[in-house]
Amino acid sequence: MSFTIQSLLCVPLFVVLLCAVVIAAEDENSSEQAMFPAMFVFGDSLVDNGNNNRLNSLARSNYFPYGIDFDGGQPTGRFSNGKTIVDFIGELLGLPDIPAFMETIDGGVDVLRGVNYASAAGGILEETGRHLGERFSMRRQVENFDKTLIEISKGIEAVTEYMAKSLVVVSLGNNDYINNYLKPSLFLTSSIYDPPSFADLLLSNFTSNLLELYDKGFRKFVLAGVGPLGCIPDQLAARAVPPGQCVEAVNEMAELFNNRLKSLVDRLNSDNKTGRDAIFVYGNTYGAAVDILTNPIAYGFEVTDRGCCGVGRNRGEITCLPLAVPCAFRDRHVFWDAFHPTQAFNLIIALRAFNGSKSDCYPINLFQMSRL
């Protein structure tokens, strides 16, 4: 097996599910076993697998100790100690590791099993994350796919069928709060929009870009919600939250966006156009994360309010620095750094997206989607 799960094997709830991971990982390079022909990822640092390595950006993680538990213990540009949620989803679906878009621009890289366009600090809005330097917004990521489509058309005859059967994962919106709305000294959005109006703005822009992907030929979408941002070490440290609590005002903002995103899924699935030939799924990452944070022992976690690697209060005032010494028992921590979860957390979220209930993935999970 290509990743470590020894600390999770003691969690009875997931023993059976972990067997599914093992089976999928053993056949990950077999096209006949894959549940989707390819996976295309659009997102932020939660799923970035190295795109920002080649950008002039402060939002980079291509240095140790990032990747300490990844294959070979090397930093890859993933913002975790190991694998991301989409890494695990790919394994569950029987797909090989997919390249970052920036690795494909010079050619010579197989793009037929999918590409990851995610960019740390990127958001739904163009200006989100600008203080951190170069990044790909949602619009730019959609535009980058056009370059990939040219290569796909060279390698596949039945492009329409291929795209209709491929999986699209979209995980965006977190930075529009953390690196925009919640930074009033750098951005004007919080003085222009109240939280409901800002959520409306995000959803409008999100929908326009999403429908562009639909118009390009994709038909199977998983749209991940924003997580409980009021519980991440960065926010706990910045607002000096008492132990055991989260910043409820920030979590309520995330829920405003998520409620609209779930309604969008219902709307698109019942629409006369998109509802005829496509399926849109809402990934309730918020609910799954809150469940883990509320019941950490049941999932094998002991530390929920501070990063494994970081500086200051909650180890979240300054994120993980080069050559910093991280905590020893990383699989017992929910958070890896000030903003991002550990590999252990990512595995649980991936499993719930793969074959969880409607409360995890609505209206169907990834396994069910693969049968359509």
Side-chain angles (χ1 to χ4, degrees):
M1 198 167 58
S2 59
F3 52 87
T4 59
I5 59 170
Q6 53 265 39
S7 65
L8 289 178
L9 288 175
C10 63
V11 185
L13 181 61
F14 288 98
V15 170
V16 175
L17 295 178
L18 287 169
C19 291
V21 181
V22 176
I23 294 171
E26 288 175 349
D27 292 319
E28 65 178 1
N29 292 316
S30 170
S31 60
E32 294 181 358
Q33 294 294 328
M35 296 181 179
F36 298 87
M39 177 172 66
F40 295 88
V41 179
F42 303 84
D44 53 30
S45 57
L46 291 175
V47 290
D48 185 350
N49 66 343
N51 282 303
N52 276 34
N53 293 354
R54 300 194 184 191
L55 299 181
N56 183 18
S57 173
L58 295 174
R60 295 166 65 168
S61 61
N62 55 340
Y63 56 83
F64 191 83
Y66 285 93
I68 188 172
D69 297 311
F70 195 77
D71 294 345
Q74 295 297 315
T76 62
R78 290 167 170 82
F79 287 75
S80 183
N81 61 308
K83 296 191 175 185
T84 68
I85 295 170
V86 291
D87 288 327
F88 285 125
I89 286 176
E91 290 188 357
L92 284 161
L93 299 177
L95 289 166
D97 289 341
I98 62 174
F101 167 73
M102 292 297 285
E103 297 173 1
T104 72
I105 57 177
D106 296 325
V109 176
D110 182 13
V111 299
L112 299 183
R113 307 311 302 277
V115 174
N116 187 326
Y117 304 89
S119 176
I124 298 168
L125 302 181
E126 288 299 307
E127 68 268 25
T128 290
R130 69 185 174 205
H131 59 296
L132 296 171
E134 291 182 334
R135 72 275 173 221
F136 294 131
S137 65
M138 185 177 188
R139 180 184 64 81
R140 285 289 306 280
Q141 292 180 39
V142 173
E143 290 174 353
N144 287 341
F145 170 73
D146 290 337
K147 300 172 184 176
T148 304
L149 184 56
I150 294 172
E151 297 303 312
I152 291 173
S153 300
K154 295 176 182 177
I156 292 180
E157 291 185 5
V159 175
T160 301
E161 181 182 4
Y162 164 86
M163 290 187 61
K165 291 183 177 181
S166 294
L167 175 67
V168 173
V169 178
V170 184
S171 177
L172 284 155
N174 299 283
N175 282 318
D176 295 288
Y177 288 98
I178 295 299
N179 284 309
N180 187 330
Y181 196 77
L182 295 173
K183 290 193 178 298
S185 63
L186 298 173
F187 298 90
L188 296 175
T189 45
S190 61
S191 63
I192 299 172
Y193 304 97
D194 63 13
S197 298
F198 186 65
D200 289 336
L201 174 69
L202 292 183
L203 194 78
S204 175
N205 283 267
F206 182 95
T207 304
S208 297
N209 287 298
L210 181 67
L211 291 178
E212 274 199 47
L213 292 173
Y214 172 86
D215 290 339
K216 293 178 191 298
F218 287 121
R219 294 295 181 266
K220 294 186 176 183
F221 299 87
V222 174
L223 315 178
V226 170
L229 301 176
C231 301
I232 66 175
D234 167 77
Q235 290 296 298
L236 297 180
R239 298 162 191 268
V241 178
Q245 297 183 30
C246 295
V247 186
E248 289 307 317
V250 174
N251 280 350
E252 288 169 5
M253 293 178 195
E255 288 191 281
L256 286 172
F257 175 76
N258 290 339
N259 290 338
R260 285 159 172 75
L261 185 60
K262 187 176 180 182
S263 294
L264 174 65
V265 163
D266 280 332
R267 200 158 65 246
L268 293 173
N269 283 334
S270 60
D271 183 81
N272 288 335
K273 179 184 177 183
T274 55
R276 286 202 312 264
D277 59 356
I279 178 68
F280 297 83
V281 166
Y282 169 66
N284 186 15
T285 50
Y286 184 101
V290 167
D291 183 29
I292 293 169
L293 291 169
T294 305
N295 307 287
I297 300 302
Y299 293 93
F301 294 110
E302 297 175 4
V303 184
T304 64
D305 62 352
R306 63 182 184 271
C308 173
C309 184
V311 178
R313 185 193 296 267
N314 300 94
R315 299 192 78 173
E317 291 184 88
I318 301 175
T319 197
C320 191
L321 297 172
L323 302 179
V325 178
C327 64
F329 302 104
R330 294 175 286 279
D331 285 349
R332 300 179 189 176
H333 282 244
V334 169
F335 295 103
W336 160 248
D337 63 14
F339 303 94
H340 308 97
T342 58
Q343 167 175 267
F345 177 94
N346 289 336
L347 173 57
I348 295 171
I349 300 299
L351 288 165
R352 291 176 75 147
F354 179 68
N355 65 356
S357 67
K358 282 188 177 182
S359 65
D360 294 317
C361 239
Y362 172 86
I364 59 176
N365 58 42
L366 290 176
F367 178 77
Q368 293 166 332
M369 182 190 285
S370 72
R371 315 283 289 198
L372 299 178

